[in-house]
Amino acid sequence: MTGLLITFEGPEGAGKTTQIQLLAGYLADQPLPVEVLREPGGTSLGEKIRNLLLDPEQEICPGAEAYLYAAARAQLVNNVIKPFLDQGRIVLCDRFADASIAYQGWGRGLGPQRVKEANALALDGIWPDLTVLLDIAPEAGLQRAMDRRAGLDRIEQEDLSFHRAVRQGYSELAGAEPARFLVVDATLSREEISQRISARTAALLLQKGFGLRGEV
Ligand code: Z5A
């Protein structure tokens, strides 16, 4: 495989979508082949599973929730991510397996190791080259999510202790793999965050032999 997988993680409202668009623009300007995906979703099956998972009216037990996220991921990895990587493309994914470890492993209390194991089949050996973790206190992230649109989805509606456990999970994941994670304070300005992400991405691209047009 010759492409690169860069994932974006963080609590809700951290600014992942905003930063993915900015990085996609930077990469397209190089010009490099870039694809933007989101989880859960990105395939016809994945979008249907997404609707189920985020529906506030749908009761889902923690184990079923973990497997539904993994099922959507299996479809995305097999049908979309692997083919893009084989074509040498740079894939930017809004959330990936770390989200399951943080939300289901820590937030739901299923345990990080068990959730990681449950995802092995879905991942089929695929693992991010770089993960950008946008860190923000849950109170601030949820406020941003509420300012943006009316109503919270099934996961956003969880209480603060759930969201604090998720943040703690992400922090543990980043601490365990510092070479893969770039942790950025999500309360900085959009421009400052974007600059840090572009700089780290440029270093990775050069290391992996991608040509870049100019300085970051
Ligand atoms: N989930 C899970 O449990 N397990 C899994 O395995 C996976 C996911 C894959 C998916 O929801 C939910 O599924 C998610 C985790 C769970 N649930 N929660 N909660 P989603 O895809 O609909 O939502 P999200 O991933 O949480 O993202 P989001 O809420 O859409 O936020 P975001 O993409 O990180 O942020 P944004 O849209 O770029 O920005 C939010 C607002 O803040 C917006 O108004 C921006 O203009 C503003 N913003 C952005 N950056 C800044 C800065 N720097 N300063 C000030 N304001 C800013």
Side-chain angles (χ1 to χ4, degrees), residues 104-155:
Q104 282 66 55
W106 286 79
R108 295 292 186 214
L110 291 176
Q113 193 53 36
R114 282 208 299 166
V115 172
K116 200 170 178 182
E117 284 161 13
N119 269 273
L121 196 64
L123 293 170
D124 199 17
I126 297 292
W127 199 238
D129 296 285
L130 169 65
T131 297
V132 176
L133 173 57
L134 296 172
D135 182 50
I136 191 167
E139 295 88 335
L142 286 166
Q143 188 58 53
R144 280 187 189 173
M146 282 190 286
D147 290 346
R148 192 188 34 179
R149 61 179 143 80
L152 295 176
D153 66 39
R154 196 179 62 83
I155 306 278

mmCIF file of all heavy atoms in Angstrom, residues 104-155:
data_model
loop_
_atom_site.group_PDB
_atom_site.id
_atom_site.type_symbol
_atom_site.label_atom_id
_atom_site.label_comp_id
_atom_site.label_asym_id
_atom_site.label_seq_id
_atom_site.Cartn_x
_atom_site.Cartn_y
_atom_site.Cartn_z
ATOM 1 N N GLN A 104 -16.650 3.577 23.222
ATOM 2 C CA GLN A 104 -17.250 2.331 23.711
ATOM 3 C C GLN A 104 -16.371 1.709 24.805
ATOM 4 O O GLN A 104 -16.875 1.191 25.796
ATOM 5 C CB GLN A 104 -17.463 1.351 22.545
ATOM 6 C CG GLN A 104 -18.686 1.656 21.682
ATOM 7 C CD GLN A 104 -18.605 2.962 20.914
ATOM 8 O OE1 GLN A 104 -17.659 3.201 20.168
ATOM 9 N NE2 GLN A 104 -19.584 3.847 21.110
ATOM 10 N N GLY A 105 -15.048 1.745 24.596
ATOM 11 C CA GLY A 105 -14.142 1.152 25.577
ATOM 12 C C GLY A 105 -14.141 1.905 26.895
ATOM 13 O O GLY A 105 -14.302 1.315 27.962
ATOM 14 N N TRP A 106 -13.982 3.231 26.813
ATOM 15 C CA TRP A 106 -13.928 4.059 28.024
ATOM 16 C C TRP A 106 -15.296 4.610 28.390
ATOM 17 O O TRP A 106 -15.750 4.452 29.526
ATOM 18 C CB TRP A 106 -12.930 5.207 27.829
ATOM 19 C CG TRP A 106 -11.511 4.742 27.873
ATOM 20 C CD1 TRP A 106 -10.825 4.130 26.858
ATOM 21 C CD2 TRP A 106 -10.614 4.809 28.978
ATOM 22 N NE1 TRP A 106 -9.553 3.824 27.271
ATOM 23 C CE2 TRP A 106 -9.387 4.239 28.560
ATOM 24 C CE3 TRP A 106 -10.710 5.316 30.269
ATOM 25 C CZ2 TRP A 106 -8.286 4.145 29.402
ATOM 26 C CZ3 TRP A 106 -9.592 5.232 31.108
ATOM 27 C CH2 TRP A 106 -8.400 4.648 30.665
ATOM 28 N N GLY A 107 -15.947 5.267 27.452
ATOM 29 C CA GLY A 107 -17.231 5.907 27.749
ATOM 30 C C GLY A 107 -18.274 4.905 28.223
ATOM 31 O O GLY A 107 -18.899 5.095 29.268
ATOM 32 N N ARG A 108 -18.445 3.832 27.476
ATOM 33 C CA ARG A 108 -19.449 2.818 27.843
ATOM 34 C C ARG A 108 -18.924 1.822 28.869
ATOM 35 O O ARG A 108 -19.669 0.988 29.382
ATOM 36 C CB ARG A 108 -19.890 2.028 26.606
ATOM 37 C CG ARG A 108 -20.617 2.825 25.563
ATOM 38 C CD ARG A 108 -21.975 3.279 26.035
ATOM 39 N NE ARG A 108 -22.700 3.916 24.941
ATOM 40 C CZ ARG A 108 -23.531 4.931 25.104
ATOM 41 N NH1 ARG A 108 -23.749 5.441 26.302
ATOM 42 N NH2 ARG A 108 -24.154 5.448 24.071
ATOM 43 N N GLY A 109 -17.599 1.826 29.072
ATOM 44 C CA GLY A 109 -17.016 0.934 30.074
ATOM 45 C C GLY A 109 -16.813 -0.494 29.598
ATOM 46 O O GLY A 109 -16.653 -1.404 30.413
ATOM 47 N N LEU A 110 -16.783 -0.708 28.264
ATOM 48 C CA LEU A 110 -16.554 -2.071 27.763
ATOM 49 C C LEU A 110 -15.089 -2.491 27.922
ATOM 50 O O LEU A 110 -14.779 -3.685 27.859
ATOM 51 C CB LEU A 110 -16.946 -2.175 26.280
ATOM 52 C CG LEU A 110 -18.438 -2.075 25.964
ATOM 53 C CD1 LEU A 110 -18.665 -2.105 24.453
ATOM 54 C CD2 LEU A 110 -19.204 -3.223 26.618
ATOM 55 N N GLY A 111 -14.215 -1.495 28.073
ATOM 56 C CA GLY A 111 -12.791 -1.791 28.236
ATOM 57 C C GLY A 111 -12.054 -1.612 26.914
ATOM 58 O O GLY A 111 -12.484 -2.158 25.892
ATOM 59 N N PRO A 112 -10.955 -0.827 26.936
ATOM 60 C CA PRO A 112 -10.243 -0.533 25.691
ATOM 61 C C PRO A 112 -9.738 -1.777 24.958
ATOM 62 O O PRO A 112 -9.842 -1.871 23.737
ATOM 63 C CB PRO A 112 -9.078 0.371 26.133
ATOM 64 C CG PRO A 112 -9.077 0.372 27.618
ATOM 65 C CD PRO A 112 -10.387 -0.128 28.105
ATOM 66 N N GLN A 113 -9.201 -2.731 25.700
ATOM 67 C CA GLN A 113 -8.624 -3.907 25.044
ATOM 68 C C GLN A 113 -9.693 -4.742 24.340
ATOM 69 O O GLN A 113 -9.517 -5.189 23.207
ATOM 70 C CB GLN A 113 -7.857 -4.758 26.077
ATOM 71 C CG GLN A 113 -6.970 -5.833 25.469
ATOM 72 C CD GLN A 113 -5.997 -5.287 24.407
ATOM 73 O OE1 GLN A 113 -5.476 -4.172 24.515
ATOM 74 N NE2 GLN A 113 -5.767 -6.068 23.347
ATOM 75 N N ARG A 114 -10.833 -4.909 25.003
ATOM 76 C CA ARG A 114 -11.908 -5.719 24.399
ATOM 77 C C ARG A 114 -12.427 -5.055 23.118
ATOM 78 O O ARG A 114 -12.702 -5.724 22.122
ATOM 79 C CB ARG A 114 -13.061 -5.895 25.396
ATOM 80 C CG ARG A 114 -12.767 -6.956 26.452
ATOM 81 C CD ARG A 114 -14.023 -7.603 26.952
ATOM 82 N NE ARG A 114 -14.923 -6.641 27.577
ATOM 83 C CZ ARG A 114 -16.189 -6.898 27.856
ATOM 84 N NH1 ARG A 114 -16.714 -8.063 27.556
ATOM 85 N NH2 ARG A 114 -16.944 -6.001 28.440
ATOM 86 N N VAL A 115 -12.542 -3.740 23.158
ATOM 87 C CA VAL A 115 -13.039 -3.043 21.963
ATOM 88 C C VAL A 115 -12.003 -3.115 20.838
ATOM 89 O O VAL A 115 -12.349 -3.308 19.670
ATOM 90 C CB VAL A 115 -13.408 -1.577 22.306
ATOM 91 C CG1 VAL A 115 -13.741 -0.798 21.051
ATOM 92 C CG2 VAL A 115 -14.584 -1.555 23.272
ATOM 93 N N LYS A 116 -10.738 -3.004 21.197
ATOM 94 C CA LYS A 116 -9.687 -3.115 20.185
ATOM 95 C C LYS A 116 -9.755 -4.495 19.523
ATOM 96 O O LYS A 116 -9.690 -4.615 18.293
ATOM 97 C CB LYS A 116 -8.320 -2.908 20.849
ATOM 98 C CG LYS A 116 -7.242 -2.524 19.879
ATOM 99 C CD LYS A 116 -5.980 -2.091 20.584
ATOM 100 C CE LYS A 116 -4.919 -1.760 19.543
ATOM 101 N NZ LYS A 116 -3.659 -1.374 20.115
ATOM 102 N N GLU A 117 -9.908 -5.521 20.335
ATOM 103 C CA GLU A 117 -9.980 -6.884 19.791
ATOM 104 C C GLU A 117 -11.209 -7.050 18.896
ATOM 105 O O GLU A 117 -11.146 -7.684 17.843
ATOM 106 C CB GLU A 117 -10.013 -7.910 20.932
ATOM 107 C CG GLU A 117 -8.645 -8.094 21.570
ATOM 108 C CD GLU A 117 -8.712 -8.734 22.968
ATOM 109 O OE1 GLU A 117 -9.786 -9.261 23.333
ATOM 110 O OE2 GLU A 117 -7.691 -8.687 23.669
ATOM 111 N N ALA A 118 -12.327 -6.464 19.320
ATOM 112 C CA ALA A 118 -13.564 -6.576 18.528
ATOM 113 C C ALA A 118 -13.436 -5.874 17.183
ATOM 114 O O ALA A 118 -14.210 -6.130 16.271
ATOM 115 C CB ALA A 118 -14.732 -5.983 19.312
ATOM 116 N N ASN A 119 -12.451 -4.983 17.054
ATOM 117 C CA ASN A 119 -12.281 -4.241 15.807
ATOM 118 C C ASN A 119 -11.264 -4.867 14.852
ATOM 119 O O ASN A 119 -11.128 -4.414 13.724
ATOM 120 C CB ASN A 119 -11.855 -2.804 16.116
ATOM 121 C CG ASN A 119 -13.065 -1.896 16.247
ATOM 122 O OD1 ASN A 119 -13.547 -1.355 15.265
ATOM 123 N ND2 ASN A 119 -13.581 -1.776 17.451
ATOM 124 N N ALA A 120 -10.575 -5.916 15.300
ATOM 125 C CA ALA A 120 -9.488 -6.472 14.480
ATOM 126 C C ALA A 120 -9.991 -6.920 13.106
ATOM 127 O O ALA A 120 -9.359 -6.652 12.080
ATOM 128 C CB ALA A 120 -8.826 -7.627 15.212
ATOM 129 N N LEU A 121 -11.140 -7.568 13.079
ATOM 130 C CA LEU A 121 -11.694 -8.060 11.817
ATOM 131 C C LEU A 121 -12.025 -6.891 10.884
ATOM 132 O O LEU A 121 -11.776 -6.953 9.675
ATOM 133 C CB LEU A 121 -12.971 -8.853 12.131
ATOM 134 C CG LEU A 121 -13.512 -9.765 11.060
ATOM 135 C CD1 LEU A 121 -12.526 -10.879 10.751
ATOM 136 C CD2 LEU A 121 -14.841 -10.380 11.542
ATOM 137 N N ALA A 122 -12.595 -5.832 11.463
ATOM 138 C CA ALA A 122 -12.985 -4.669 10.658
ATOM 139 C C ALA A 122 -11.766 -3.962 10.072
ATOM 140 O O ALA A 122 -11.788 -3.501 8.929
ATOM 141 C CB ALA A 122 -13.782 -3.692 11.515
ATOM 142 N N LEU A 123 -10.694 -3.886 10.842
ATOM 143 C CA LEU A 123 -9.526 -3.114 10.418
ATOM 144 C C LEU A 123 -8.695 -3.836 9.365
ATOM 145 O O LEU A 123 -8.061 -3.205 8.517
ATOM 146 C CB LEU A 123 -8.646 -2.781 11.626
ATOM 147 C CG LEU A 123 -9.281 -1.814 12.624
ATOM 148 C CD1 LEU A 123 -8.452 -1.726 13.886
ATOM 149 C CD2 LEU A 123 -9.438 -0.437 11.990
ATOM 150 N N ASP A 124 -8.678 -5.165 9.433
ATOM 151 C CA ASP A 124 -7.960 -5.978 8.440
ATOM 152 C C ASP A 124 -6.523 -5.475 8.240
ATOM 153 O O ASP A 124 -6.035 -5.337 7.106
ATOM 154 C CB ASP A 124 -8.736 -5.947 7.117
ATOM 155 C CG ASP A 124 -8.337 -7.100 6.209
ATOM 156 O OD1 ASP A 124 -7.737 -8.070 6.696
ATOM 157 O OD2 ASP A 124 -8.608 -7.010 4.991
ATOM 158 N N GLY A 125 -5.872 -5.105 9.327
ATOM 159 C CA GLY A 125 -4.466 -4.688 9.255
ATOM 160 C C GLY A 125 -4.257 -3.212 8.968
ATOM 161 O O GLY A 125 -3.122 -2.733 8.961
ATOM 162 N N ILE A 126 -5.332 -2.481 8.713
ATOM 163 C CA ILE A 126 -5.200 -1.040 8.426
ATOM 164 C C ILE A 126 -5.100 -0.264 9.736
ATOM 165 O O ILE A 126 -5.896 -0.459 10.659
ATOM 166 C CB ILE A 126 -6.420 -0.530 7.614
ATOM 167 C CG1 ILE A 126 -6.497 -1.224 6.254
ATOM 168 C CG2 ILE A 126 -6.404 0.981 7.468
ATOM 169 C CD1 ILE A 126 -5.391 -0.853 5.311
ATOM 170 N N TRP A 127 -4.141 0.648 9.811
ATOM 171 C CA TRP A 127 -3.951 1.464 11.017
ATOM 172 C C TRP A 127 -3.493 2.848 10.570
ATOM 173 O O TRP A 127 -2.754 2.953 9.584
ATOM 174 C CB TRP A 127 -2.921 0.796 11.930
ATOM 175 C CG TRP A 127 -2.962 1.250 13.361
ATOM 176 C CD1 TRP A 127 -1.925 1.814 14.052
ATOM 177 C CD2 TRP A 127 -4.065 1.159 14.274
ATOM 178 N NE1 TRP A 127 -2.323 2.082 15.343
ATOM 179 C CE2 TRP A 127 -3.630 1.702 15.504
ATOM 180 C CE3 TRP A 127 -5.375 0.705 14.174
ATOM 181 C CZ2 TRP A 127 -4.457 1.788 16.625
ATOM 182 C CZ3 TRP A 127 -6.192 0.795 15.291
ATOM 183 C CH2 TRP A 127 -5.736 1.326 16.489
ATOM 184 N N PRO A 128 -3.906 3.907 11.244
ATOM 185 C CA PRO A 128 -3.541 5.254 10.774
ATOM 186 C C PRO A 128 -2.030 5.507 10.812
ATOM 187 O O PRO A 128 -1.324 5.036 11.698
ATOM 188 C CB PRO A 128 -4.255 6.180 11.771
ATOM 189 C CG PRO A 128 -5.316 5.356 12.402
ATOM 190 C CD PRO A 128 -4.789 3.946 12.426
ATOM 191 N N ASP A 129 -1.569 6.309 9.826
ATOM 192 C CA ASP A 129 -0.168 6.756 9.826
ATOM 193 C C ASP A 129 -0.013 7.935 10.773
ATOM 194 O O ASP A 129 1.070 8.148 11.330
ATOM 195 C CB ASP A 129 0.226 7.189 8.407
ATOM 196 C CG ASP A 129 0.185 6.017 7.443
ATOM 197 O OD1 ASP A 129 1.106 5.186 7.500
ATOM 198 O OD2 ASP A 129 -0.794 5.908 6.674
ATOM 199 N N LEU A 130 -1.078 8.730 10.888
ATOM 200 C CA LEU A 130 -1.063 9.895 11.773
ATOM 201 C C LEU A 130 -2.483 10.091 12.311
ATOM 202 O O LEU A 130 -3.448 9.941 11.560
ATOM 203 C CB LEU A 130 -0.638 11.150 10.983
ATOM 204 C CG LEU A 130 -0.811 12.511 11.664
ATOM 205 C CD1 LEU A 130 0.092 12.652 12.883
ATOM 206 C CD2 LEU A 130 -0.501 13.651 10.669
ATOM 207 N N THR A 131 -2.577 10.407 13.598
ATOM 208 C CA THR A 131 -3.884 10.714 14.181
ATOM 209 C C THR A 131 -3.815 12.072 14.859
ATOM 210 O O THR A 131 -2.980 12.297 15.739
ATOM 211 C CB THR A 131 -4.310 9.626 15.196
ATOM 212 O OG1 THR A 131 -4.454 8.390 14.489
ATOM 213 C CG2 THR A 131 -5.629 9.981 15.869
ATOM 214 N N VAL A 132 -4.678 12.976 14.406
ATOM 215 C CA VAL A 132 -4.759 14.302 15.001
ATOM 216 C C VAL A 132 -5.839 14.249 16.083
ATOM 217 O O VAL A 132 -7.006 13.962 15.789
ATOM 218 C CB VAL A 132 -5.131 15.361 13.937
ATOM 219 C CG1 VAL A 132 -5.303 16.723 14.582
ATOM 220 C CG2 VAL A 132 -4.081 15.393 12.827
ATOM 221 N N LEU A 133 -5.435 14.503 17.319
ATOM 222 C CA LEU A 133 -6.398 14.528 18.421
ATOM 223 C C LEU A 133 -6.634 15.980 18.820
ATOM 224 O O LEU A 133 -5.731 16.657 19.308
ATOM 225 C CB LEU A 133 -5.865 13.725 19.616
ATOM 226 C CG LEU A 133 -6.679 13.796 20.906
ATOM 227 C CD1 LEU A 133 -8.119 13.354 20.692
ATOM 228 C CD2 LEU A 133 -6.028 12.945 22.003
ATOM 229 N N LEU A 134 -7.848 16.457 18.557
ATOM 230 C CA LEU A 134 -8.221 17.819 18.943
ATOM 231 C C LEU A 134 -8.837 17.745 20.330
ATOM 232 O O LEU A 134 -9.923 17.190 20.503
ATOM 233 C CB LEU A 134 -9.205 18.396 17.921
ATOM 234 C CG LEU A 134 -8.621 18.568 16.515
ATOM 235 C CD1 LEU A 134 -9.694 18.962 15.514
ATOM 236 C CD2 LEU A 134 -7.491 19.596 16.524
ATOM 237 N N ASP A 135 -8.121 18.279 21.289
ATOM 238 C CA ASP A 135 -8.539 18.114 22.685
ATOM 239 C C ASP A 135 -9.323 19.326 23.178
ATOM 240 O O ASP A 135 -8.871 20.462 23.027
ATOM 241 C CB ASP A 135 -7.297 17.890 23.559
ATOM 242 C CG ASP A 135 -7.688 17.665 25.007
ATOM 243 O OD1 ASP A 135 -8.573 16.819 25.254
ATOM 244 O OD2 ASP A 135 -7.144 18.359 25.888
ATOM 245 N N ILE A 136 -10.483 19.030 23.753
ATOM 246 C CA ILE A 136 -11.314 20.113 24.300
ATOM 247 C C ILE A 136 -12.139 19.549 25.458
ATOM 248 O O ILE A 136 -12.523 18.362 25.429
ATOM 249 C CB ILE A 136 -12.231 20.702 23.195
ATOM 250 C CG1 ILE A 136 -12.914 21.990 23.662
ATOM 251 C CG2 ILE A 136 -13.267 19.672 22.709
ATOM 252 C CD1 ILE A 136 -13.574 22.789 22.538
ATOM 253 N N ALA A 137 -12.398 20.371 26.465
ATOM 254 C CA ALA A 137 -13.244 19.923 27.585
ATOM 255 C C ALA A 137 -14.642 19.632 27.039
ATOM 256 O O ALA A 137 -15.140 20.375 26.186
ATOM 257 C CB ALA A 137 -13.306 21.009 28.650
ATOM 258 N N PRO A 138 -15.290 18.570 27.532
ATOM 259 C CA PRO A 138 -16.603 18.211 26.997
ATOM 260 C C PRO A 138 -17.624 19.341 27.089
ATOM 261 O O PRO A 138 -18.430 19.525 26.180
ATOM 262 C CB PRO A 138 -17.042 17.029 27.854
ATOM 263 C CG PRO A 138 -15.877 16.597 28.638
ATOM 264 C CD PRO A 138 -14.796 17.618 28.527
ATOM 265 N N GLU A 139 -17.561 20.123 28.174
ATOM 266 C CA GLU A 139 -18.520 21.221 28.324
ATOM 267 C C GLU A 139 -18.417 22.184 27.138
ATOM 268 O O GLU A 139 -19.426 22.597 26.556
ATOM 269 C CB GLU A 139 -18.258 22.019 29.613
ATOM 270 C CG GLU A 139 -18.475 21.241 30.900
ATOM 271 C CD GLU A 139 -17.232 20.476 31.361
ATOM 272 O OE1 GLU A 139 -16.374 20.148 30.526
ATOM 273 O OE2 GLU A 139 -17.156 20.199 32.575
ATOM 274 N N ALA A 140 -17.178 22.523 26.776
ATOM 275 C CA ALA A 140 -16.965 23.484 25.687
ATOM 276 C C ALA A 140 -17.334 22.863 24.333
ATOM 277 O O ALA A 140 -17.959 23.518 23.489
ATOM 278 C CB ALA A 140 -15.505 23.942 25.680
ATOM 279 N N GLY A 141 -16.974 21.608 24.131
ATOM 280 C CA GLY A 141 -17.285 20.946 22.850
ATOM 281 C C GLY A 141 -18.781 20.794 22.647
ATOM 282 O O GLY A 141 -19.301 21.060 21.558
ATOM 283 N N LEU A 142 -19.479 20.384 23.714
ATOM 284 C CA LEU A 142 -20.935 20.209 23.600
ATOM 285 C C LEU A 142 -21.618 21.550 23.353
ATOM 286 O O LEU A 142 -22.599 21.633 22.618
ATOM 287 C CB LEU A 142 -21.488 19.552 24.872
ATOM 288 C CG LEU A 142 -21.181 18.060 24.997
ATOM 289 C CD1 LEU A 142 -21.453 17.557 26.409
ATOM 290 C CD2 LEU A 142 -21.990 17.245 23.985
ATOM 291 N N GLN A 143 -21.076 22.609 23.974
ATOM 292 C CA GLN A 143 -21.651 23.942 23.755
ATOM 293 C C GLN A 143 -21.524 24.329 22.283
ATOM 294 O O GLN A 143 -22.470 24.837 21.672
ATOM 295 C CB GLN A 143 -20.935 24.973 24.647
ATOM 296 C CG GLN A 143 -21.592 26.348 24.643
ATOM 297 C CD GLN A 143 -23.056 26.302 25.092
ATOM 298 O OE1 GLN A 143 -23.360 25.774 26.161
ATOM 299 N NE2 GLN A 143 -23.967 26.805 24.261
ATOM 300 N N ARG A 144 -20.343 24.046 21.698
ATOM 301 C CA ARG A 144 -20.166 24.337 20.269
ATOM 302 C C ARG A 144 -21.158 23.538 19.431
ATOM 303 O O ARG A 144 -21.750 24.053 18.491
ATOM 304 C CB ARG A 144 -18.754 23.944 19.823
ATOM 305 C CG ARG A 144 -17.686 24.945 20.168
ATOM 306 C CD ARG A 144 -16.402 24.473 19.510
ATOM 307 N NE ARG A 144 -15.252 25.224 19.927
ATOM 308 C CZ ARG A 144 -14.004 24.903 19.591
ATOM 309 N NH1 ARG A 144 -13.772 23.835 18.846
ATOM 310 N NH2 ARG A 144 -13.002 25.635 19.985
ATOM 311 N N ALA A 145 -21.333 22.249 19.789
ATOM 312 C CA ALA A 145 -22.264 21.403 19.031
ATOM 313 C C ALA A 145 -23.685 21.953 19.137
ATOM 314 O O ALA A 145 -24.431 21.972 18.150
ATOM 315 C CB ALA A 145 -22.204 19.961 19.531
ATOM 316 N N MET A 146 -24.045 22.448 20.325
ATOM 317 C CA MET A 146 -25.407 22.974 20.515
ATOM 318 C C MET A 146 -25.588 24.297 19.779
ATOM 319 O O MET A 146 -26.655 24.573 19.247
ATOM 320 C CB MET A 146 -25.701 23.142 22.006
ATOM 321 C CG MET A 146 -26.020 21.816 22.669
ATOM 322 S SD MET A 146 -26.644 22.006 24.339
ATOM 323 C CE MET A 146 -25.198 22.431 25.246
ATOM 324 N N ASP A 147 -24.515 25.136 19.756
ATOM 325 C CA ASP A 147 -24.606 26.426 19.051
ATOM 326 C C ASP A 147 -24.804 26.211 17.561
ATOM 327 O O ASP A 147 -25.406 27.029 16.871
ATOM 328 C CB ASP A 147 -23.312 27.242 19.251
ATOM 329 C CG ASP A 147 -23.202 27.737 20.683
ATOM 330 O OD1 ASP A 147 -24.222 27.678 21.404
ATOM 331 O OD2 ASP A 147 -22.097 28.160 21.079
ATOM 332 N N ARG A 148 -24.252 25.085 17.061
ATOM 333 C CA ARG A 148 -24.250 24.842 15.618
ATOM 334 C C ARG A 148 -25.603 24.354 15.115
ATOM 335 O O ARG A 148 -26.039 24.686 14.048
ATOM 336 C CB ARG A 148 -23.153 23.820 15.310
ATOM 337 C CG ARG A 148 -22.809 23.667 13.855
ATOM 338 C CD ARG A 148 -21.880 22.514 13.693
ATOM 339 N NE ARG A 148 -22.222 21.484 14.679
ATOM 340 C CZ ARG A 148 -21.602 20.326 14.782
ATOM 341 N NH1 ARG A 148 -20.607 20.058 14.008
ATOM 342 N NH2 ARG A 148 -21.979 19.436 15.670
ATOM 343 N N ARG A 149 -26.249 23.487 15.880
ATOM 344 C CA ARG A 149 -27.547 22.957 15.422
ATOM 345 C C ARG A 149 -28.442 22.622 16.610
ATOM 346 O O ARG A 149 -27.956 22.342 17.699
ATOM 347 C CB ARG A 149 -27.339 21.697 14.564
ATOM 348 C CG ARG A 149 -26.657 20.571 15.312
ATOM 349 C CD ARG A 149 -26.502 19.351 14.403
ATOM 350 N NE ARG A 149 -25.271 18.654 14.634
ATOM 351 C CZ ARG A 149 -25.057 17.791 15.630
ATOM 352 N NH1 ARG A 149 -26.007 17.531 16.483
ATOM 353 N NH2 ARG A 149 -23.892 17.190 15.774
ATOM 354 N N ALA A 150 -29.749 22.634 16.332
ATOM 355 C CA ALA A 150 -30.707 22.338 17.392
ATOM 356 C C ALA A 150 -30.732 20.836 17.661
ATOM 357 O O ALA A 150 -30.698 20.043 16.730
ATOM 358 C CB ALA A 150 -32.090 22.806 16.958
ATOM 359 N N GLY A 151 -30.758 20.439 18.927
ATOM 360 C CA GLY A 151 -30.896 19.016 19.267
ATOM 361 C C GLY A 151 -29.573 18.282 19.270
ATOM 362 O O GLY A 151 -28.706 18.548 18.442
ATOM 363 N N LEU A 152 -29.421 17.370 20.231
ATOM 364 C CA LEU A 152 -28.197 16.580 20.332
ATOM 365 C C LEU A 152 -28.503 15.150 19.909
ATOM 366 O O LEU A 152 -29.604 14.643 20.137
ATOM 367 C CB LEU A 152 -27.683 16.592 21.779
ATOM 368 C CG LEU A 152 -27.232 17.963 22.312
ATOM 369 C CD1 LEU A 152 -26.840 17.847 23.785
ATOM 370 C CD2 LEU A 152 -26.068 18.522 21.499
ATOM 371 N N ASP A 153 -27.517 14.449 19.289
ATOM 372 C CA ASP A 153 -27.772 13.071 18.870
ATOM 373 C C ASP A 153 -27.647 12.114 20.063
ATOM 374 O O ASP A 153 -27.367 12.529 21.191
ATOM 375 C CB ASP A 153 -26.869 12.675 17.678
ATOM 376 C CG ASP A 153 -25.397 12.618 18.038
ATOM 377 O OD1 ASP A 153 -25.067 12.154 19.152
ATOM 378 O OD2 ASP A 153 -24.558 13.013 17.197
ATOM 379 N N ARG A 154 -27.849 10.814 19.787
ATOM 380 C CA ARG A 154 -27.933 9.812 20.872
ATOM 381 C C ARG A 154 -26.671 9.789 21.730
ATOM 382 O O ARG A 154 -26.736 9.631 22.952
ATOM 383 C CB ARG A 154 -28.191 8.416 20.259
ATOM 384 C CG ARG A 154 -28.681 7.357 21.254
ATOM 385 C CD ARG A 154 -28.913 6.040 20.532
ATOM 386 N NE ARG A 154 -27.682 5.537 19.957
ATOM 387 C CZ ARG A 154 -26.767 4.838 20.631
ATOM 388 N NH1 ARG A 154 -26.966 4.536 21.890
ATOM 389 N NH2 ARG A 154 -25.654 4.447 20.035
ATOM 390 N N ILE A 155 -25.504 9.959 21.103
ATOM 391 C CA ILE A 155 -24.241 9.911 21.860
ATOM 392 C C ILE A 155 -24.012 11.243 22.583
ATOM 393 O O ILE A 155 -23.621 11.269 23.756
ATOM 394 C CB ILE A 155 -23.053 9.611 20.923
ATOM 395 C CG1 ILE A 155 -23.302 8.340 20.095
ATOM 396 C CG2 ILE A 155 -21.743 9.559 21.680
ATOM 397 C CD1 ILE A 155 -23.010 7.037 20.774
#
